[in-house]
Amino acid sequence: MAMPKNESGTTSLSGLDIAGAFFAPIQEAGPPSPTKRHIKISIIGTGNVGMAITQTLLTQDLADELALVDALPDKLRGEMLDLQHAAAFLPRTKIVASTDYSVTAASDLCIVTAGARQIPGESRLNLLERNVSLFKKIIPPLVKYSPDAILIIVSNPVDVLTYIAWKLSGFPSNRVIGSGTNLDSSRFRFLIADHLDVNAQDVQAYIIGEHGDSSVALWSSISVGGVPILSFLEKRQISYEKETLVKIHKEVINCAYEVIKLKGYTSWAVGYSVANLAWSILRDQRRIHPVSVLAKGFHNIEDGEVFLSLPAQLGRGGVIRVINVPITDEEADHLRGSAKTILELQEHLGL
C-alpha cells in the first residue's frame, strides 16, 4: 500500500493507522481466541490508599485494564498520566480514568476506597452518616455498569460500609467483601514472627471480628511452621503470661494509629493487603483470608445481619465458604461482642 505524501513530497503518516503501517498482516489470520479472558479492575477513590492499591496491582500483572474513578478531575488525570508514563517499566495494562462511572463498565472487580474524612471533633456516627450518603452515589452506578462484578470495600468503618454496600447493591452476600482484618492479621503475624525471630509467612494467625478496637485475636489457632503454639508451650510446660498476649493484640490495634501519627496516613500495607485479596479472587486461588463477610449464623451470631471478619475461602465467585475455625468460649464471647458493637452503629443509622 502506498503511503500518502505531504506537500514536500516526503512520506506522511497523517490520517493513516500507524500500527497498520508499522506491521505487516498475517495471511488468513482469524479472530482472537475466545478463551482469552480480559480482566478489568475498577478502583473508586484515588487518595493515598486507592493509589497504593493501584500501584501494587500494576506491578503484580493481575489486570488487563484498570479504571480509576474520583470526584477530583485534575488529580484523577494527573494520577492516570503519572502511571501511564511508567508503561515502559510495567506489565502491559490499559489505564483509564474518569469522574463518570461509565468508565467502570464490565469490571470483574470493583474496589471502593473513597470515603469522607473525619472533621476534628466530629462523632464517629456523624462521619458514618456522611459515608453512607457517599456510598449511595457510588454503589448504584457500579452495579449498573458491572452487574456481575465482585465488590471489595476498603473505606472505613469497613464492616458497616460493607453491609451498606451489600444492601445498596442487591448482590448476593458472597459478592460483597470487606477488606476487614486481612491487614490486621498481617500485622499480627509480623509481631508474632518478630517475637519468635521467624519469617512472617511461616506464621498462621488470625484477627477476626471488627476491623477496629473490638477485634478478636485467635490465640488458640496460632501455629508456626505447622506447630500450634499454645498447645506446644503447655505440653513442654513452658510458662507464658497472658499479659504478653494481650500486649501483642494491643500493638496490632495501635499499629495503624502509630503510622497515621508518624506519616499522616496508612497506604502501602493496605495496598498489598487488598491486592492480595484481588489476586486470590481473580486467579481463583481459593486461599483463606480473614475478611468482612455476612456473619449471621456463624459462632451463634443470630441477632441481626452484620458483616465482620471471619476466615473465608476466596475465589472467582467471591466468598466460596467460611472456615469453621475452632475458637474458645472466651474468643466466641468477644466475637459476639464485636458483632454487637457493629449492630449498634447500624441501628443508630436507622437503616
Side-chain angles (χ1 to χ4, degrees):
M1 178 179 65
M3 298 181 73
K5 305 283 186 177
N6 59 23
E7 291 180 359
S8 64
T10 59
T11 300
S12 169
L13 291 177
S14 175
L16 182 72
D17 177 3
I18 297 177
F22 194 76
F23 296 101
I26 295 174
Q27 297 298 319
E28 299 181 4
S33 167
T35 61
K36 183 182 183 300
R37 181 171 181 83
H38 180 88
I39 294 178
K40 180 174 180 178
I41 301 174
S42 290
I43 298 171
I44 315 307
T46 57
N48 296 314
V49 169
M51 294 316 298
I53 294 169
T54 303
Q55 190 271 343
T56 309
L57 288 171
L58 278 172
T59 59
Q60 292 187 355
D61 194 16
L62 180 58
D64 299 290
E65 182 176 356
L66 280 174
L68 307 179
V69 177
D70 200 283
L72 303 174
D74 289 346
K75 182 182 188 314
L76 182 61
R77 179 167 171 75
E79 295 286 10
M80 179 190 71
L81 291 173
D82 207 5
L83 291 173
Q84 288 176 338
H85 296 165
F89 316 117
L90 292 167
R92 185 171 183 260
T93 304
K94 181 180 180 181
I95 304 169
V96 295
S98 177
T99 57
D100 190 322
Y101 281 83
S102 61
V103 77
T104 67
S107 292
D108 297 278
L109 184 67
C110 296
I111 301 171
V112 181
T113 72
R117 291 191 177 185
Q118 194 162 14
I119 301 167
E122 182 180 33
S123 70
R124 187 184 183 194
L125 180 60
N126 190 61
L127 173 64
L128 181 55
E129 287 172 342
R130 290 199 294 124
N131 274 318
V132 170
S133 297
L134 183 62
F135 266 48
K136 287 178 179 178
K137 299 175 183 177
I138 292 173
I139 303 301
L142 289 179
V143 172
K144 174 185 174 183
Y145 289 110
S146 300
D148 299 318
I150 293 168
L151 301 179
I152 293 182
I153 309 302
V154 185
S155 314
N156 280 316
V158 68
D159 301 296
V160 180
L161 290 178
T162 304
Y163 168 80
I164 299 298
W166 173 53
K167 286 297 186 183
L168 290 172
S169 69
F171 284 178
S173 61
N174 64 294
R175 284 170 48 203
V176 184
I177 304 164
S179 56
T181 58
N182 196 51
L183 177 53
D184 306 63
S185 297
S186 174
R187 290 166 174 153
F188 194 31
R189 292 168 67 188
F190 160 73
L191 290 169
I192 293 168
D194 199 42
H195 273 73
L196 299 176
D197 194 24
V198 298
N199 191 309
Q201 292 186 356
D202 291 324
V203 177
Q204 189 78 15
Y206 294 123
I207 297 286
I208 64 171
E210 181 198 18
H211 173 59
D213 295 349
S214 73
S215 65
V216 181
L218 291 188
W219 291 102
S220 58
S221 64
I222 294 174
S223 65
V224 177
V227 179
I229 287 296
L230 294 192
S231 61
F232 172 82
L233 295 176
E234 288 167 3
K235 285 178 182 177
R236 293 295 182 93
Q237 296 184 334
I238 300 171
S239 62
Y240 62 90
E241 294 183 352
K242 190 173 180 180
E243 288 73 19
T244 303
L245 309 185
V246 172
K247 182 181 177 184
I248 292 175
H249 184 207
K250 283 184 178 178
E251 281 186 69
V252 172
I253 293 170
N254 291 327
C255 275
Y257 298 129
E258 183 179 7
V259 174
I260 292 168
K261 181 181 177 182
L262 292 170
K263 62 176 271 191
Y265 55 90
T266 61
S267 58
W268 297 118
V270 69
Y272 281 106
S273 173
V274 175
N276 186 238
L277 298 178
W279 186 273
S280 288
I281 292 167
L282 295 176
R283 295 295 191 211
D284 199 27
Q285 291 296 294
R286 297 176 177 252
R287 292 183 60 196
I288 311 301
H289 296 271
V291 289
S292 193
V293 298
L294 184 61
K296 187 174 182 179
F298 297 103
H299 302 292
N300 295 320
I301 297 170
E302 303 290 352
D303 292 338
E305 293 175 330
V306 59
F307 277 69
L308 46 74
S309 287
L310 296 171
Q313 187 181 45
L314 302 184
R316 203 63 185 78
V319 177
I320 299 170
R321 49 195 167 185
V322 173
I323 307 306
N324 250 328
V325 59
I327 63 177
T328 65
D329 291 341
E330 183 181 3
E331 289 167 347
D333 286 341
H334 285 308
L335 182 61
R336 287 188 288 272
S338 198
K340 185 179 178 182
T341 299
I342 298 167
L343 280 168
E344 286 173 354
L345 263 178
Q346 290 176 187
E347 287 169 5
H348 284 302
L349 289 170
L351 298 169

